[in-house]
Amino acid sequence: MKSVVCHAAKDLRLEESPLPEPGPRQLRVRIAYGGICGSDLHYYQHGGFGTVRIRQALALGHEVSGVVDALGAEVTHLRPGQRIAISPSRPCGHCRFCQSGQHNHCLNMRFFGSAMPFPHIQGAFSEQVVIEAHQAHPIDPTLSLSLAALAEPLSVGLHAISRAGSVLGQQVLVTGCGPIGSLLIGALRRAGAGRIVAADIADLPLQCARQMGADETINLKSQADRIESYKLEKGQFDAVFEASGTEAALRLGLDLIRPRGILVSIGMGGDVSLPMTQLAAKEVDLRGTFRFHPEFATAVRFLNEGLIDGRPVITAVLPLNRALEAFDLAGDKSRSLKVQIAFSEETV
Amino acid sequence: MKSVVCHAAKDLRLEESPLPEPGPRQLRVRIAYGGICGSDLHYYQHGGFGTVRIRQALALGHEVSGVVDALGAEVTHLRPGQRIAISPSRPCGHCRFCQSGQHNHCLNMRFFGSAMPFPHIQGAFSEQVVIEAHQAHPIDPTLSLSLAALAEPLSVGLHAISRAGSVLGQQVLVTGCGPIGSLLIGALRRAGAGRIVAADIADLPLQCARQMGADETINLKSQADRIESYKLEKGQFDAVFEASGTEAALRLGLDLIRPRGILVSIGMGGDVSLPMTQLAAKEVDLRGTFRFHPEFATAVRFLNEGLIDGRPVITAVLPLNRALEAFDLAGDKSRSLKVQIAFSEETV
Amino acid sequence: MKSVVCHAAKDLRLEESPLPEPGPRQLRVRIAYGGICGSDLHYYQHGGFGTVRIRQALALGHEVSGVVDALGAEVTHLRPGQRIAISPSRPCGHCRFCQSGQHNHCLNMRFFGSAMPFPHIQGAFSEQVVIEAHQAHPIDPTLSLSLAALAEPLSVGLHAISRAGSVLGQQVLVTGCGPIGSLLIGALRRAGAGRIVAADIADLPLQCARQMGADETINLKSQADRIESYKLEKGQFDAVFEASGTEAALRLGLDLIRPRGILVSIGMGGDVSLPMTQLAAKEVDLRGTFRFHPEFATAVRFLNEGLIDGRPVITAVLPLNRALEAFDLAGDKSRSLKVQIAFSEETV
Amino acid sequence: MKSVVCHAAKDLRLEESPLPEPGPRQLRVRIAYGGICGSDLHYYQHGGFGTVRIRQALALGHEVSGVVDALGAEVTHLRPGQRIAISPSRPCGHCRFCQSGQHNHCLNMRFFGSAMPFPHIQGAFSEQVVIEAHQAHPIDPTLSLSLAALAEPLSVGLHAISRAGSVLGQQVLVTGCGPIGSLLIGALRRAGAGRIVAADIADLPLQCARQMGADETINLKSQADRIESYKLEKGQFDAVFEASGTEAALRLGLDLIRPRGILVSIGMGGDVSLPMTQLAAKEVDLRGTFRFHPEFATAVRFLNEGLIDGRPVITAVLPLNRALEAFDLAGDKSRSLKVQIAFSEETV
């Protein structure tokens, strides 16, 4: 069985490992598709991000779909051959955060493909993976396994919206229209946003943003003048979602948001200089967002029922034996949004 | 009639001006006490703050109390001789923010003693001032006019709490225990905070914080080790109120706050470098707060009924002819919290 | 100029009246379509509802669209010939509710076609009507004037959702699928509800509910058993919207809602017997909803952009000279959902 | 060891039973004081309430304090002789409500002295009781064990407030000023309510309400006219807490609450006729409240620190051998608010 394993920055290998056996409440899954996420890229390109560094071999990957292969003795609600989206999230259920419904802050979280704890939590970019039964979300016959692997990044977008509260009828700005920003736009349209403006510094993501439902797209390099009118009367956006992770976008958001508006920061950008006087005087509400929990089931529902269509986001699918090429492609923002690895021919 | 007028940085004068006459819905007030606020000090010491600069002579002052002197023809609910706290806030009532109940963001605000608009809005550090009838809040016979002049900074604290939502039973940190921070602590105690920790870099404000109701005080210079246990399990404070306006305090707040906690920024600190990855990963809610609106009436009520006692905050009261000395004293944080000017002997 | 005027229960007349002239900030509109609402029917059938009774001749109607005919001197942002949806809401802007953004509770509201105040506020079922400029909402060339007249009842649905807060991903029940309930379902789908169950006692509204986006429909007379599973584990619905105005539906909602769920009551049903022990023990949040304010602009936007399609709701359109027949048809729930009157041939 | 056991309506006995032994995570407590609650009275007087009936012998009682007697092997943070308030709440920690932080809705709750599940959950009116370690809350040396036994009903009041959200500065009405209503008033004062009006039909509870912090008390029988001014302009109270469990009080609350106000129903009153048209037109938010969870720790804190003083609520303390007399006394509202049983002479 092959896995995509990162040993250090720029040291990514396709490695053999033994087939794992599921425990009584677990199942084994043949992975179909795995999307390459920004954090996967960070491990590959830089060996980590911030204080999180790879200290032992780490199988990457947490955006995956697959087909049930073998069931543990106590798992009765699933069957072999079933097509599923897989949540990468395994909270403990016992800590004070789990007991208050904030499972994404679990003190003992085992999230696929993460170097935050040590020993690291191995990821799901393998031909077969053992998961807990609660991680499996059956998908509709009409939904492809490739699209099902978007459930995870879509969950991130849905959770970001839930952090903002209701956006029904609101005028919303999204800065940064990569895979997360673009899926977020699809989710905002579904969540009843009144008008969605998408901003980026490149045309490929803006094109995707429009396909996902943005009413207006603005290239901040070539069309910066079009942003001016949104500064009027202390700012025109009810909510801003910052998905680029840049200081410039965050500061722009503070300029354009109306007093008491909500600015959700999705992109992690390390240390950033912020104009606190402006934030205070406009009473901006700057909210962080991190992963998701109940939103994964919602994401699968929306994908299953065609209520959100993620197709514009996937720009390339490469077979497992070209996994390293897939990582390089995913790192090239001028050509790629979401790049997926196909782990098996038959499941495609 | 004398006023305290700022012409430029370090150029503060006691000037004569003619007695103003009230319009039909206005009244004239003999000012009793005026508290010197941080923004008054900024005008005096630096000629402004950020992009807000003094461009014409500006009477300072917005924390005032007084005695009704003359009534406009249409004002029937007040009488000469009545003792009042005076709200410095005059929103227009018509703009989109006033029509949505967010009067502190009024597009046409005329707030006493502000160089934000031009022509500037003159302040209330005068022997007599004309105000709108709605600015007058009668005070209880048991409340001194000196304490009544704390209604304004107390309102700032109450509004900061309302920005956070309910604090009932919560563990709360206040960083920066000057007059605003200390009055905020009194308001937090009254609002049902469960446990209040106060932090500052000097002992005088911490002593005041304890008198205002803090359960624990920490001198961040000499007792920094005592803060460590609050970092456990991703942070222990449900809410943090940052009133020092420093980057260090804001970063400390991000370390100590629990995931999904609310960090209210009261102190304006210009550009500040923030660890956005931490803010996102902990899903912190960083909220600005600015002035107040309905809270002024609440502040007067709490002072009237003795439900909040502001006496520990007032460290000096100087007569009008020593107004410049009062400003210098207010600027010396090692000796002063709130310094007030007494505008009249008889009203004391 | 003809108007549809109600003099008393069962006394509805087509009457002539002089052409009105717009004031400086007003405009005159040739009415295109008018939808018959439940309150119009109550005036016609019973002479009022509850304590609200017709005490003078009252032109009915508040769900209207039209074409601008003449402009007041100060109205510059509209032009003759423009096609508009018309908000029936005219709050005063000055009372304590308007000043807190709760214009639907205005103490001096002049809402079209209402016998609540005396003298009554005349309605808009006339060939021409004078409105305030702020009541006019231009519509898209692709939107028919008939569909534009749904903006008002759709606003009621959108406001009901805003009363509930975010419904993103939630499991929602709607009881009562007449025009309001069905448009609400369209709005819930747009607002990101995860799964929508519609319940009624008749098949025609349920058929409409499905077309508007319900995932499941339940006829409470013939399919009552299908509701049982939703009672499990203290109740399965995150939110319930009660649009039938019946005690039975409200009590059903309390059975099916999960603890801490939100039950929005749209249908007004007079005195109703409620199991308060159940409401308390499940900590249900029973919220009233009344009309709308900012939601009218949102409704027009969603109709303009095709984000909500109201066509299934309109079951009949009759010309003005058959207005009385239209009222009788609208009162027959077995044959009708929304019945509209076409006031002009040319505007159709 | 003696316990107060109810066998059926009017059949309450002092019975002997063997001393229980604590498990590894449990402790045995010598009970000091037990307050008689409305539900205890219902079991005694009527054999239950609504559909909840006594079907086997049930030791009553859930408002208790005591002294640690023996510790299970794994309990290390407590010591024999320690004085504690005892939470009666034992949620499972695993069901969907526990996992979302709503432990008071636990599907497998074992709450002291409850006939809801079968077998019934035995109560704490015994000389010695075994509890889970997490139920023990140490109290301050300055707090009497009698006052400590108020932590439970005070928690009910605190949770009712948390259901309403922030009450800071609000004008609040409390109807029904028995032990729950009066402790709620103390909690509202602590939570920063601006003005508290208390209403009841008897003078004894109103006298207590005033001692607990009400600004105004109204006897609804003898001073009904004083309520009229609160009906002006659609209602004057921001929040209403209904603790009498009567239809009349609930309807009064709907009359007096302002539009968009929050009416929390604490008193359980069986089926009640409500004016739904009024609830809808005023957009009232009628919220149930049930028991508590995190509020117990907060209640103990407020009692420990003297931030809420419950002494006015306790009107009688009787020794265990007069337990039946204590129940009769507690049932006489003209003479009693909270009646407590002293289980041991030494702990008094």
Side-chain angles (χ1 to χ4, degrees):
Chain A
M1 184 194 84
K2 289 202 182 66
S3 300
V4 181
V5 180
C6 187
H7 288 257
K10 301 293 179 188
D11 181 359
L12 191 68
R13 310 177 197 169
L14 256 185
E15 293 185 343
E16 279 290 335
S17 58
L19 201 63
E21 286 305 314
R25 295 183 185 180
Q26 297 181 319
L27 48 152
R28 192 174 61 217
V29 184
R30 276 177 289 128
I31 297 297
Y33 290 90
I36 298 172
C37 168
S39 66
D40 297 318
L41 276 175
H42 271 281
Y43 288 127
Y44 168 57
Q45 292 173 336
H46 311 294
F49 45 89
T51 58
V52 177
R53 317 304 305 179
I54 289 187
R55 291 184 281 161
Q56 63 182 164
L58 177 69
L60 298 181
H62 53 270
E63 304 180 358
V64 290
S65 62
V67 177
V68 175
D69 185 51
L71 298 171
E74 296 178 21
V75 181
T76 58
H77 65 295
L78 295 164
R79 53 176 176 66
Q82 203 157 1
R83 300 158 75 244
I84 57 172
I86 300 172
S87 168
S89 179
R90 291 175 298 185
C92 75
H94 299 292
C95 71
R96 65 181 174 121
F97 295 107
C98 287
Q99 287 285 314
S100 62
Q102 304 180 3
H103 296 76
N104 59 330
H105 297 294
C106 173
L107 293 171
N108 313 296
M109 172 63 84
R110 294 179 305 125
F111 197 92
F112 275 169
S114 169
M116 281 194 195
F118 187 86
H120 299 341
I121 310 300
Q122 297 301 312
F125 280 179
S126 288
E127 285 177 299
Q128 301 228 28
V129 170
V130 164
I131 66 172
E132 305 298 319
H134 67 73
Q135 295 180 266
H137 293 250
I139 64 170
D140 198 80
T142 60
L143 184 71
S144 75
L145 281 159
S146 170
L147 285 173
L150 292 178
E152 204 272 351
L154 177 56
S155 302
V156 172
L158 288 167
H159 183 67
I161 297 174
S162 87
R163 288 288 296 153
S166 174
V167 295
L168 184 60
Q170 293 195 339
Q171 174 145 295
V172 178
L173 173 69
V174 177
T175 52
C177 303
I180 293 288
S182 287
L183 285 166
L184 171 66
I185 287 168
L188 284 166
R189 190 88 278 171
R190 173 47 53 204
R195 188 154 184 281
I196 303 169
V197 178
D200 202 301
I201 54 172
D203 285 334
L204 181 67
L206 288 173
Q207 185 182 319
C208 177
R210 187 172 285 279
Q211 289 172 306
M212 292 303 294
D215 294 291
E216 180 183 358
T217 58
I218 301 179
N219 186 315
L220 294 171
K221 284 198 169 158
S222 57
Q223 304 171 309
D225 54 308
R226 284 185 31 210
I227 217 77
E228 288 304 311
S229 67
Y230 292 110
K231 293 182 183 169
L232 294 178
E233 293 195 343
K234 302 191 180 184
Q236 293 291 319
F237 289 101
D238 300 302
V240 173
F241 293 84
E242 203 307 281
S244 76
T246 65
E247 181 176 312
L250 208 44
R251 296 182 77 103
L252 180 67
L254 288 170
D255 277 347
L256 303 182
I257 203 168
R258 68 160 167 79
R260 300 247 178 114
I262 296 171
L263 199 169
V264 177
S265 172
I266 313 168
M268 296 185 173
D271 278 21
V272 159
S273 170
L274 284 186
M276 288 304 294
T277 304
Q278 185 184 36
L279 184 145
K282 290 175 72 167
E283 297 193 315
V284 173
D285 208 326
L286 173 58
R287 300 184 181 174
T289 185
F290 182 63
R291 295 176 178 163
F292 50 83
H293 184 63
E295 292 85 1
F296 194 88
T298 305
V300 173
R301 171 181 293 278
F302 285 153
L303 293 169
N304 271 344
E305 310 218 342
L307 291 170
I308 295 178
D309 180 358
R311 280 176 293 185
V313 175
I314 303 172
T315 52
V317 180
L318 275 71
L320 178 56
N321 58 13
R322 293 169 62 194
L324 274 67
E325 184 184 339
F327 269 77
D328 286 324
L329 183 60
D332 182 349
K333 305 296 184 196
S334 71
R335 289 192 296 155
S336 298
L337 287 153
K338 180 60 68 190
V339 175
Q340 289 184 334
I341 299 168
F343 283 82
S344 158
E345 270 182 47
E346 58 195 309
T347 57
V348 178
Chain B
M1 184 193 84
K2 290 202 181 64
S3 301
V4 180
V5 180
C6 188
H7 288 258
K10 302 292 177 188
D11 181 359
L12 191 67
R13 309 177 197 169
L14 259 186
E15 293 186 342
E16 280 290 336
S17 57
L19 201 64
E21 287 304 315
R25 296 184 185 179
Q26 297 180 320
L27 48 152
R28 192 173 60 217
V29 183
R30 276 178 289 128
I31 297 298
Y33 290 90
I36 298 173
C37 168
S39 66
D40 296 318
L41 276 176
H42 270 282
Y43 288 127
Y44 168 58
Q45 292 173 336
H46 310 295
F49 44 90
T51 58
V52 176
R53 316 304 306 179
I54 288 188
R55 290 185 282 162
Q56 62 182 165
L58 177 69
L60 297 181
H62 53 270
E63 303 180 359
V64 289
S65 62
V67 177
V68 175
D69 185 52
L71 298 171
E74 296 178 23
V75 182
T76 57
H77 66 296
L78 295 165
R79 52 174 177 68
Q82 202 156 4
R83 300 158 76 245
I84 58 173
I86 301 171
S87 168
S89 179
R90 291 176 298 185
C92 74
H94 299 292
C95 72
R96 65 181 174 119
F97 295 107
C98 287
Q99 287 285 313
S100 62
Q102 304 180 2
H103 297 77
N104 59 331
H105 296 294
C106 171
L107 293 171
N108 313 296
M109 172 62 82
R110 295 179 305 124
F111 196 93
F112 274 169
S114 169
M116 280 193 196
F118 188 87
H120 299 340
I121 310 299
Q122 296 301 313
F125 280 179
S126 288
E127 286 178 298
Q128 300 228 29
V129 169
V130 164
I131 66 172
E132 305 297 320
H134 67 73
Q135 295 179 266
H137 293 250
I139 64 169
D140 198 80
T142 61
L143 186 70
S144 75
L145 281 159
S146 170
L147 286 172
L150 291 179
E152 205 272 352
L154 177 56
S155 302
V156 171
L158 289 167
H159 184 66
I161 298 174
S162 86
R163 287 289 296 153
S166 175
V167 294
L168 184 60
Q170 294 195 339
Q171 173 145 296
V172 178
L173 173 69
V174 176
T175 52
C177 303
I180 293 288
S182 286
L183 286 166
L184 170 67
I185 286 168
L188 284 167
R189 190 87 279 172
R190 173 50 49 205
R195 187 154 185 283
I196 303 170
V197 178
D200 202 299
I201 53 171
D203 285 332
L204 180 67
L206 288 173
Q207 186 182 319
C208 178
R210 188 173 285 277
Q211 291 172 304
M212 292 302 295
D215 295 291
E216 180 183 358
T217 58
I218 300 179
N219 186 315
L220 293 172
K221 285 196 170 159
S222 57
Q223 305 170 309
D225 53 309
R226 286 187 28 211
I227 217 76
E228 287 306 309
S229 67
Y230 293 110
K231 293 182 183 169
L232 295 179
E233 293 195 344
K234 301 190 181 187
Q236 294 291 320
F237 288 102
D238 300 301
V240 173
F241 293 84
E242 204 305 282
S244 76
T246 65
E247 181 176 311
L250 208 45
R251 295 183 79 104
L252 180 67
L254 288 170
D255 277 347
L256 303 182
I257 202 167
R258 69 161 168 77
R260 300 249 177 112
I262 296 172
L263 200 170
V264 178
S265 173
I266 313 167
M268 296 185 171
D271 278 22
V272 159
S273 170
L274 285 186
M276 288 304 294
T277 304
Q278 186 184 34
L279 184 145
K282 289 176 72 168
E283 297 194 314
V284 174
D285 209 326
L286 173 57
R287 300 184 181 174
T289 186
F290 183 63
R291 294 174 179 166
F292 51 83
H293 184 62
E295 292 85 1
F296 194 87
T298 304
V300 173
R301 170 181 294 278
F302 285 153
L303 293 169
N304 271 343
E305 312 219 342
L307 291 169
I308 295 177
D309 180 357
R311 279 175 294 184
V313 176
I314 303 173
T315 51
V317 180
L318 276 71
L320 177 57
N321 58 12
R322 293 169 61 195
L324 273 67
E325 184 185 339
F327 269 76
D328 286 325
L329 182 60
D332 181 349
K333 305 297 184 194
S334 71
R335 289 193 296 155
S336 298
L337 287 153
K338 179 61 68 189
V339 175
Q340 290 184 333
I341 299 168
F343 284 81
S344 159
E345 268 179 53
E346 59 195 309
T347 56
V348 178
Chain C
M1 186 195 82
K2 290 201 181 65
S3 300
V4 181
V5 179
C6 187
H7 288 257
K10 301 292 178 189
D11 181 358
L12 191 67
R13 309 177 198 170
L14 256 187
E15 292 185 342
E16 280 290 337
S17 58
L19 201 63
E21 287 304 315
R25 295 183 186 179
Q26 297 180 318
L27 47 152
R28 192 172 61 217
V29 183
R30 276 178 289 128
I31 296 299
Y33 290 91
I36 298 173
C37 168
S39 66
D40 297 319
L41 276 175
H42 270 281
Y43 289 127
Y44 168 58
Q45 292 172 337
H46 310 295
F49 43 90
T51 58
V52 177
R53 317 303 306 180
I54 288 188
R55 291 184 281 161
Q56 64 182 161
L58 177 68
L60 298 180
H62 53 269
E63 302 179 0
V64 290
S65 62
V67 176
V68 175
D69 185 50
L71 298 171
E74 296 178 22
V75 181
T76 57
H77 65 295
L78 294 164
R79 53 176 176 65
Q82 204 157 3
R83 300 159 74 245
I84 58 173
I86 301 171
S87 168
S89 179
R90 291 175 298 186
C92 75
H94 299 293
C95 71
R96 66 183 174 121
F97 295 107
C98 287
Q99 286 285 314
S100 63
Q102 304 180 3
H103 296 77
N104 59 330
H105 296 294
C106 173
L107 293 170
N108 314 296
M109 172 63 82
R110 295 179 304 124
F111 196 92
F112 274 170
S114 169
M116 281 193 196
F118 187 87
H120 299 341
I121 309 299
Q122 297 300 313
F125 280 179
S126 288
E127 286 177 299
Q128 301 229 26
V129 170
V130 164
I131 66 172
E132 304 298 319
H134 68 73
Q135 294 180 266
H137 293 249
I139 64 170
D140 198 79
T142 61
L143 185 71
S144 75
L145 281 159
S146 169
L147 285 173
L150 292 179
E152 205 273 350
L154 177 56
S155 302
V156 171
L158 288 167
H159 183 66
I161 298 174
S162 87
R163 287 288 296 153
S166 175
V167 294
L168 184 60
Q170 294 196 338
Q171 173 145 297
V172 178
L173 173 69
V174 177
T175 52
C177 302
I180 292 288
S182 287
L183 285 166
L184 171 67
I185 287 168
L188 282 167
R189 190 86 278 170
R190 173 48 52 203
R195 188 154 184 281
I196 303 170
V197 178
D200 202 300
I201 54 171
D203 284 333
L204 181 67
L206 287 173
Q207 185 181 319
C208 177
R210 189 172 284 278
Q211 290 173 305
M212 292 303 294
D215 294 291
E216 181 185 357
T217 58
I218 300 178
N219 186 316
L220 294 172
K221 284 196 170 159
S222 57
Q223 304 170 309
D225 54 310
R226 284 183 34 207
I227 216 78
E228 288 305 310
S229 67
Y230 292 110
K231 293 181 184 170
L232 295 178
E233 293 195 344
K234 303 191 179 184
Q236 294 292 319
F237 289 101
D238 300 301
V240 173
F241 293 84
E242 203 307 281
S244 76
T246 65
E247 181 176 310
L250 208 45
R251 294 183 79 103
L252 180 67
L254 287 170
D255 278 347
L256 302 182
I257 202 167
R258 68 160 168 79
R260 300 247 177 114
I262 296 171
L263 199 170
V264 178
S265 173
I266 312 168
M268 295 185 174
D271 278 21
V272 159
S273 171
L274 284 187
M276 287 303 292
T277 304
Q278 186 184 35
L279 184 146
K282 290 175 72 168
E283 297 194 314
V284 174
D285 208 326
L286 173 58
R287 300 183 182 175
T289 184
F290 183 63
R291 294 176 178 163
F292 50 83
H293 182 63
E295 292 85 1
F296 194 87
T298 304
V300 172
R301 170 181 295 278
F302 285 154
L303 292 169
N304 272 344
E305 310 219 342
L307 291 170
I308 294 178
D309 180 357
R311 279 175 294 184
V313 175
I314 303 172
T315 51
V317 180
L318 276 71
L320 178 56
N321 57 14
R322 292 170 61 194
L324 274 67
E325 184 184 340
F327 269 77
D328 286 324
L329 183 60
D332 182 349
K333 304 297 184 193
S334 71
R335 290 191 296 155
S336 298
L337 287 152
K338 179 60 68 189
V339 175
Q340 289 184 334
I341 299 168
F343 283 82
S344 158
E345 269 181 49
E346 60 194 309
T347 57
V348 178
Chain D
M1 184 194 85
K2 291 201 180 66
S3 301
V4 181
V5 180
C6 187
H7 287 257
K10 302 291 177 188
D11 181 359
L12 191 67
R13 310 177 197 170
L14 258 186
E15 292 186 343
E16 279 290 337
S17 56
L19 201 63
E21 287 304 315
R25 296 183 186 180
Q26 296 179 320
L27 47 153
R28 192 173 60 216
V29 183
R30 275 178 289 129
I31 297 297
Y33 291 90
I36 298 173
C37 168
S39 67
D40 296 318
L41 276 175
H42 270 282
Y43 288 127
Y44 169 58
Q45 292 173 336
H46 311 295
F49 43 90
T51 59
V52 177
R53 317 302 309 179
I54 288 188
R55 290 184 282 162
Q56 63 182 165
L58 177 68
L60 298 181
H62 54 271
E63 303 180 0
V64 289
S65 62
V67 177
V68 175
D69 185 51
L71 298 170
E74 296 179 23
V75 181
T76 56
H77 66 296
L78 295 164
R79 53 175 175 68
Q82 203 157 3
R83 301 158 75 245
I84 58 172
I86 301 172
S87 168
S89 179
R90 291 176 297 185
C92 75
H94 299 293
C95 72
R96 65 181 174 119
F97 295 107
C98 287
Q99 287 285 314
S100 63
Q102 305 180 1
H103 297 77
N104 60 331
H105 297 294
C106 173
L107 293 171
N108 314 297
M109 172 62 84
R110 295 179 306 123
F111 196 93
F112 274 170
S114 169
M116 280 193 196
F118 188 87
H120 299 340
I121 310 299
Q122 296 302 313
F125 280 178
S126 288
E127 286 178 296
Q128 301 229 30
V129 169
V130 165
I131 66 172
E132 305 298 319
H134 67 73
Q135 295 180 265
H137 293 250
I139 64 170
D140 198 79
T142 61
L143 186 69
S144 75
L145 281 159
S146 170
L147 285 173
L150 292 178
E152 205 272 353
L154 176 57
S155 302
V156 171
L158 287 167
H159 183 66
I161 298 174
S162 88
R163 287 289 296 154
S166 175
V167 295
L168 184 60
Q170 293 195 340
Q171 173 145 296
V172 177
L173 173 69
V174 176
T175 53
C177 302
I180 293 288
S182 286
L183 285 167
L184 171 67
I185 287 168
L188 283 166
R189 190 87 280 170
R190 173 50 50 206
R195 187 155 185 281
I196 304 170
V197 178
D200 202 299
I201 54 172
D203 285 333
L204 180 67
L206 288 172
Q207 185 181 320
C208 178
R210 187 172 285 277
Q211 289 173 304
M212 292 302 295
D215 295 291
E216 180 183 358
T217 57
I218 300 179
N219 185 315
L220 293 171
K221 283 197 171 157
S222 57
Q223 304 171 308
D225 54 309
R226 285 186 28 211
I227 217 76
E228 288 305 309
S229 67
Y230 292 110
K231 293 183 182 168
L232 295 178
E233 293 195 345
K234 302 192 180 185
Q236 293 292 320
F237 288 102
D238 300 301
V240 173
F241 292 84
E242 204 304 282
S244 76
T246 65
E247 181 175 312
L250 208 44
R251 296 182 77 104
L252 180 68
L254 287 170
D255 277 348
L256 302 183
I257 202 168
R258 68 161 168 79
R260 299 245 178 115
I262 296 171
L263 199 170
V264 177
S265 173
I266 312 168
M268 296 186 172
D271 278 23
V272 159
S273 171
L274 285 187
M276 288 304 293
T277 304
Q278 185 185 34
L279 185 145
K282 289 175 74 168
E283 296 193 315
V284 174
D285 209 325
L286 173 58
R287 299 183 183 174
T289 185
F290 183 63
R291 294 176 179 166
F292 51 85
H293 183 63
E295 291 85 1
F296 194 87
T298 305
V300 173
R301 171 180 295 279
F302 286 155
L303 292 170
N304 272 344
E305 311 219 341
L307 291 169
I308 295 179
D309 180 357
R311 280 175 293 184
V313 176
I314 303 173
T315 52
V317 181
L318 276 72
L320 178 57
N321 58 14
R322 292 170 61 194
L324 273 67
E325 185 185 340
F327 270 77
D328 287 325
L329 182 60
D332 181 348
K333 306 295 184 196
S334 70
R335 290 192 297 156
S336 300
L337 287 153
K338 179 61 67 190
V339 175
Q340 288 185 334
I341 299 168
F343 283 81
S344 159
E345 268 181 50
E346 58 195 311
T347 55
V348 177

